[in-house]
């Protein structure tokens, strides 16, 4: 796609409007790479100046801190902050609520202060400014969509409306789950749980959550987090509903539906 690297722009003395923080999942997970591509397509179609760090981007340290390894977190965070400050970065957009929360709320105390937006916030603002226009009668018209709140986007940062306002522009039927917004149920992957087997219990959290999603009768589940994407997709597979229910990131809905 010819996505610009920050190092290449800096070598030309240029500075992008936005640094797109891709994150580990957006870089390496086969499913979430599609979300990364959707975001880049949106930015490029609108001629928004952006760049990525490429191999200079390291994990934010969120999993290490949540799992209790504070030393590793600070090593990873400080290295990233030095890179970002070296390029004089002002505005960061990321598709991962974990990266979003860490860079926005935990980096400032270590010397990294930036304007940080989740991609749903950026997309919503672009729609409100009239820069993104949706097709009339697109493929989601009249379809039932239910949105799953990411813990680190919702409860941790009070971002509830932006994803829903974006989905509302699709002309679809947005249906809320029994537990949503501040009462939303975790997908089961936060707090470092993504990288370990669950403790013994009667039911995995993502199965409990997917049952709530399926109970809405929705044919589409909207997510805004790579961890949630994995857990909800696995839940759909567990219930053998892959043919009837699709799990898509909000950026994918927009990239498919914009004029």
């Amino acid at each position: 796609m010819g996505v610009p690297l920050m190092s290449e722009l800096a070598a030309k003395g240029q500075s992008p409007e936005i640094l797109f923080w891709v994150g580990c999942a957006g870089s390496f997970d086969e499913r979430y790479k599609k979300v990364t591509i959707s975001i880049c397509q949106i930015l490029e179609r609108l001629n928004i100046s952006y760049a990525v760090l490429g191999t200079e981007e390291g994990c934010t340290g969120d999993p290490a801190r949540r799992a209790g390894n504070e030393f590793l977190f600070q090593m990873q965070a400080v290295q990233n902050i030095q890179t970002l400050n070296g390029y004089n970065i002002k505005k960061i957009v990321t598709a991962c609520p974990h990266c979003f929360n860490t860079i926005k709320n935990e980096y400032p105390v270590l010397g990294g202060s930036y304007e940080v937006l989740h991609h749903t916030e950026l997309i919503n603002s672009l729609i409100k400014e009239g820069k993104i226009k949706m097709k009339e009668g697109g493929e989601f018209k009249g379809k039932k969509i239910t949105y799953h709140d990411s813990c680190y986007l919702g409860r941790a940062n009070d971002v509830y409306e932006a994803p829903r306002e974006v989905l509302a522009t699709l002309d679809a039927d947005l249906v809320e789950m029994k537990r949503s917004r501040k009462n939303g149920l975790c997908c089961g992957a936060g707090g470092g749980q993504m990288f370990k087997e669950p403790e013994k219990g009667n039911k995995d959290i993502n199965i409990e959550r997917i049952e709530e999603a399926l109970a809405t009768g929705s044919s589409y589940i909207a997510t805004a987090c790579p961890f949630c994407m994995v857990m909800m997709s696995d839940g759909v597979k567990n219930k053998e509903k892959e043919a009837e229910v699709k799990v898509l990131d909000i950026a994918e809905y927009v990239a498919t539906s914009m004029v």
Side-chain angles (χ1 to χ4, degrees):
M1 288 182 67
V3 175
L5 283 173
M6 192 63 228
S7 56
E8 293 171 352
L9 291 189
K12 299 175 189 172
Q14 298 173 1
S15 183
E17 180 186 341
I18 289 170
L19 177 80
F20 175 27
W21 186 275
V22 181
C24 305
S27 300
F28 302 116
D29 181 78
E30 286 304 319
R31 174 63 187 89
Y32 220 68
K33 283 180 188 177
K34 295 177 182 178
V35 178
T36 301
I37 291 169
S38 291
I39 293 170
C40 291
Q41 287 173 337
I42 292 168
L43 294 172
E44 289 182 5
R45 283 176 69 176
L46 298 178
N47 292 317
I48 293 173
S49 168
Y50 78 103
V52 300
L53 287 174
T55 55
E56 290 186 281
E57 180 187 297
C59 177
T60 59
D62 167 82
R65 175 169 261 191
R66 305 301 163 234
N69 194 335
E70 181 65 19
F71 178 67
L72 177 57
F73 163 73
Q74 295 210 15
M75 281 178 59
Q76 292 176 310
V78 168
Q79 184 172 344
N80 285 326
I81 289 166
Q82 287 175 344
T83 301
L84 292 167
N85 290 352
Y87 285 124
N88 197 29
I89 297 299
K90 303 294 184 192
K91 186 174 182 178
I92 298 172
V93 171
T94 180
C96 176
H98 296 259
C99 298
F100 169 70
N101 179 70
T102 302
I103 299 172
K104 180 178 180 179
N105 299 322
E106 299 178 351
Y107 275 20
V109 74
L110 297 171
S113 295
Y114 320 100
E115 179 188 355
V116 188
L117 294 174
H118 186 257
H119 73 298
T120 58
E121 294 180 301
L122 175 68
I123 291 169
N124 192 39
S125 67
L126 292 170
I127 290 171
K128 287 183 174 179
E129 290 167 15
K131 293 178 180 176
I132 292 179
K133 291 183 172 63
M134 299 297 192
K135 298 171 189 168
E136 286 189 24
E139 69 175 88
F140 305 108
K141 182 177 175 63
K143 301 286 178 65
K144 278 190 178 181
I145 300 177
T146 190
Y147 171 65
H148 165 74
D149 286 288
S150 157
C151 296
Y152 276 94
L153 195 58
R155 280 192 291 272
N157 288 284
D158 286 320
V159 179
Y160 295 109
E161 300 311 321
R164 288 174 170 83
E165 288 175 2
V166 172
L167 291 171
T169 65
L170 297 175
D171 222 5
D173 183 9
L174 185 58
V175 187
E176 294 288 358
M177 284 183 243
K178 182 174 70 174
R179 286 180 277 192
S180 63
R181 300 179 188 266
K182 288 187 178 179
N183 295 320
L185 181 68
C186 175
C187 72
Q193 296 292 316
M194 182 73 184
F195 307 100
K196 60 183 281 296
E197 290 301 313
E199 290 82 2
K200 287 182 180 178
N202 298 323
K203 188 193 294 184
D204 286 352
I205 292 178
N206 70 313
I207 302 304
E208 175 86 8
R209 189 56 166 163
I210 205 66
E211 287 173 355
E212 292 186 2
L214 296 176
T216 66
S218 298
S219 50
Y220 289 93
I221 298 170
T223 62
C225 168
F227 289 7
C228 297
M229 170 74 77
V230 169
M231 301 304 274
M232 301 303 279
S233 298
D234 284 353
V236 170
K237 289 175 189 172
N238 178 272
K239 296 295 181 181
E240 298 182 348
K241 295 282 188 182
E242 297 124 295
E244 303 137 67
V245 180
K246 305 297 180 192
V247 183
L248 299 175
D249 186 273
I250 283 177
E252 295 177 302
Y253 289 99
V254 174
T256 302
S257 304
M258 63 190 291
V259 176

